[in-house]
């Protein structure tokens, strides 16, 4: 795609980069109110049985994900035209989702500016090692990476690490406002937990709140993972990296059933979002449907997305992800060709 076509493609989606106050308010109402209602029903159901309560917690987790989409749009300044409204509801949904608003806004902006850039990895993205880096890594570095990419660790322990540690700690380069915002939101969340624990009982946190954040965390990590970790995803060094190609070729179109698309705020149209971050979630589908070149983006479904679990390393030579099994075969081949190699 030529630079002229790339510029035309970005320009073609800009008409959708406009928030609609009425639509945003409706989305707030049909997201936050059901979340608290389901939380209350989960709590009330505990008096009967945990197993009656759990389905309500799982449903509430879905609305927590939907709340995160609102939070996400606010960080991009795309949910409302008014900056103060974006900041207010961004912080409000930040408390609900346990994400620090200013911290995420900065780190996610870096993610958008560097997604697919092999020379600028490390902030707001999934850890990806190239084949060459893995070959040159020490045994300890390989073990760390293998543990990180293990599905049990990533999706099992990942939510707890995300909510308890990653979202509570600032970057070394974080400025004062970002640091204060992170700590204030953490204090608010702790205060809410203490109030719940002392008034409703600590078992409520364990049996209602924990399933909500755990299920939402797993689903959120999965969504973020599959949006960039597909077989022919786009990764290039700084000298060759291109923003539009990174957006369209390096971000997937996750085609979900209608109810899941609604619950996840259409974030499956991730290629559109990376091409034009100011497009609010409720315009992403329309932007995709009315922009034919975007139909060529890599499309994955619930079934095909499961294949992404096996991808571990990025092969720069062939522009594709490979498995650890592929890597072992490659290393074994090199060893057989060079018996003196370690």
């Amino acid at each position: 795609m030529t630079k002229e076509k790339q510029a035309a493609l970005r320009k073609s989606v800009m008409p959708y980069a406009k928030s609609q106050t009425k639509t945003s308010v409706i989305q707030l109402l049909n997201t936050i109110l059901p979340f608290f209602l389901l939380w209350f029903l989960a709590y009330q159901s505990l008096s009967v049985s945990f197993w009656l309560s759990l389905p309500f917690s799982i449903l509430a987790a879905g609305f927590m994900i939907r709340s995160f989409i609102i939070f996400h749009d606010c960080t991009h300044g795309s949910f409302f035209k008014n900056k103060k409204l974006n900041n207010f509801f961004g912080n409000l949904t930040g408390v609900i989702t346990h994400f620090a608003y200013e911290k995420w806004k900065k780190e996610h902006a870096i993610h958008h500016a560097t997604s697919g850039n092999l020379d600028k990895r490390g902030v707001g993205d999934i850890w990806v090692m190239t084949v060459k880096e893995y070959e040159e890594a020490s045994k300890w570095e390989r073990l760390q990476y293998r543990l990180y990419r293990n599905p049990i660790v990533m999706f099992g322990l990942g939510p707890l690490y995300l909510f308890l540690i990653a979202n509570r700690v600032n970057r070394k380069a974080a400025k004062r406002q970002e640091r204060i915002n992170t700590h204030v939101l953490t204090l608010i969340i702790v205060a809410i937990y203490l109030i719940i624990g002392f008034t409703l009982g600590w078992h409520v946190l364990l049996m209602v709140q924990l399933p909500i954040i755990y299920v939402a965390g797993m689903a959120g990590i999965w969504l973020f993972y599959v949006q960039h970790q597909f077989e022919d995803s786009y990764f290039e060094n700084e000298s060759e990296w291109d923003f539009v190609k990174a957006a369209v070729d390096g971000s997937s179109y996750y085609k979900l059933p209608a109810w899941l698309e609604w619950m996840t705020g259409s974030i499956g149209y991730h290629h559109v979002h990376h091409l034009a971050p100011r497009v609010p979630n409720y315009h992403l589908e329309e932007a995709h449907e009315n922009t034919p070149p975007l139909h060529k983006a890599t499309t994955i479904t619930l079934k095909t997305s499961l294949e992404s679990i096996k991808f571990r390393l990025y092969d720069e030579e062939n522009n594709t992800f490979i498995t650890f099994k592929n890597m072992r075969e490659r290393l074994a081949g090199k060893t057989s060709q060079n018996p003196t190699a370690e």
Side-chain angles (χ1 to χ4, degrees):
M1 186 183 294
T2 64
K3 292 292 183 181
E4 291 75 15
K5 287 185 177 180
Q6 289 180 352
L9 180 59
R10 291 192 71 183
K11 186 177 180 180
S12 66
V13 298
M14 293 315 293
Y16 303 98
K18 296 177 180 178
S19 62
Q20 295 177 319
T21 301
K22 181 180 178 180
T23 304
S24 295
V25 170
I26 290 173
Q27 192 168 69
L28 281 168
L29 294 174
N30 66 26
T31 300
I32 295 177
L33 292 182
F35 171 79
F36 284 113
L37 175 61
L38 288 163
W39 199 102
F40 177 74
L41 291 173
Y43 163 67
Q44 290 292 323
S45 301
L46 275 181
S47 60
V48 179
S49 167
F50 168 73
W51 300 110
L52 179 61
S53 172
L54 185 59
F56 289 116
S57 292
I58 293 173
L59 284 172
F63 283 92
M64 187 175 183
I65 294 169
R66 189 166 163 82
S67 297
F68 177 81
I69 300 302
I70 294 174
F71 166 88
H72 172 252
D73 276 5
C74 288
T75 64
H76 283 294
S78 64
F79 198 65
F80 286 108
K81 297 181 179 71
N82 185 285
K83 181 180 179 180
K84 290 183 178 179
L85 284 176
N86 280 316
N87 290 340
F88 176 80
F89 285 104
N91 280 294
L92 175 63
T93 50
V95 172
I96 293 173
T97 60
H98 297 21
F99 276 78
Y101 178 69
E102 294 293 341
K103 170 182 166 66
W104 172 267
K105 182 165 67 173
K106 180 61 178 179
E107 292 182 359
H108 195 58
I110 295 173
H111 164 69
H112 272 265
T114 60
S115 180
N117 190 323
L118 290 172
D119 295 320
K120 294 184 177 180
R121 286 166 287 168
V123 178
D125 52 19
I126 298 288
W127 185 12
V128 174
M129 287 184 79
T130 64
V131 167
K132 182 180 179 182
E133 288 169 342
Y134 189 80
E135 286 179 324
E136 297 174 350
S138 67
K139 290 183 178 180
W140 171 238
E141 290 171 331
R142 290 184 186 182
L143 177 61
Q144 285 181 295
Y145 186 70
R146 291 179 73 90
L147 286 173
Y148 176 91
R149 301 286 298 203
N150 185 290
I152 295 175
V153 175
M154 182 174 287
F155 304 111
L157 299 179
L160 297 178
Y161 173 79
L162 180 66
F163 291 125
L164 298 177
I165 301 175
N167 287 352
R168 313 275 72 86
V169 180
N170 290 296
R171 299 173 300 117
K172 289 182 179 180
K175 294 183 179 180
R176 186 169 181 269
Q177 181 184 4
E178 183 180 335
R179 292 179 182 279
I180 291 175
N181 181 261
T182 298
H183 298 322
V184 169
L185 258 69
T186 296
L187 288 174
I188 292 173
I189 293 168
V190 169
I192 291 172
Y193 273 40
L194 289 173
I195 292 170
I196 293 173
F198 282 115
T199 59
L200 302 181
W202 299 103
H203 69 291
V204 175
L205 292 176
L206 180 65
M207 303 177 79
V208 173
Q209 184 64 12
L210 182 59
I212 291 174
I213 65 171
Y214 194 78
V215 172
M218 282 195 297
I221 292 172
W222 172 252
L223 286 170
F224 194 75
Y225 178 84
V226 299
Q227 286 160 354
H228 300 287
Q229 309 287 307
F230 49 93
E231 188 169 11
D232 56 348
S233 186
Y234 174 89
F235 286 89
E236 283 288 356
N237 292 305
E238 171 71 14
S239 59
E240 300 294 328
W241 183 83
D242 180 86
F243 177 86
V244 174
K245 285 184 68 65
V248 180
D249 297 337
S251 304
S252 64
Y253 163 35
Y254 199 7
K255 191 173 184 179
L256 297 169
W259 69 274
L260 269 180
E261 182 182 321
W262 184 88
M263 191 66 77
T264 57
S266 299
I267 199 61
Y269 294 94
H270 209 60
H271 56 305
V272 182
H273 172 63
H274 264 261
L275 183 63
R278 293 299 294 269
V279 176
N281 71 86
Y282 44 77
H283 286 328
L284 290 173
E285 180 178 5
E286 186 181 5
H288 169 83
E289 294 297 338
N290 295 335
T291 312
L294 294 179
H295 300 174
K296 298 177 182 179
T298 299
T299 301
I300 57 177
T301 63
L302 280 175
K303 182 180 180 180
T304 59
S305 67
L306 296 177
E307 297 176 4
S308 296
I309 296 176
K310 67 183 181 182
F311 299 135
R312 299 288 192 269
L313 298 157
Y314 191 74
D315 185 346
E316 290 180 85
E317 294 181 5
N318 299 301
N319 298 318
T320 186
F321 271 101
I322 65 171
T323 66
F324 279 137
K325 181 181 179 181
N326 297 145
M327 191 68 219
R328 285 196 300 271
E329 293 171 348
R330 178 173 177 147
L331 290 173
K334 285 192 173 184
T335 301
S336 63
Q337 293 173 12
N338 183 14
T340 62
E342 294 183 1

